[in-house]
Amino acid sequence: MGEETKRCMVCAKEKVFEGSICEECKAMIRGEAAEKGKKIKQDAEKAMRREGVPPKK
């Protein structure tokens, strides 16, 4: 049925998808954001331990 291909704004590959970013790039971006969130949490916990604040359970 003549589905229209578009170019992804991230990887610039021509594919059939909804929106402006393909599913593979969406997944990659979500993964990077999750990793960044984990890193921020770890850094905050380290800083709290250095200050002597007991960790939350």
Side-chain angles (χ1 to χ4, degrees), residues 4-55:
E4 188 177 326
T5 61
K6 298 186 237 175
R7 248 184 224 284
C8 175
M9 292 181 70
V10 177
C11 67
K13 292 180 182 174
E14 249 184 66
K15 301 178 184 177
V16 176
F17 55 89
E18 290 183 19
S20 56
I21 300 174
C22 68
E23 295 302 316
E24 291 85 6
C25 290
K26 282 181 189 177
M28 179 185 64
I29 292 168
R30 282 189 191 113
E32 289 175 359
E35 288 298 318
K36 187 172 183 179
K38 287 178 187 176
K39 175 82 169 116
I40 290 170
K41 184 177 177 182
Q42 288 174 347
D43 291 346
E45 288 174 353
K46 282 181 186 176
M48 288 176 67
R49 272 187 257 133
R50 267 187 264 136
E51 297 295 322
V53 179

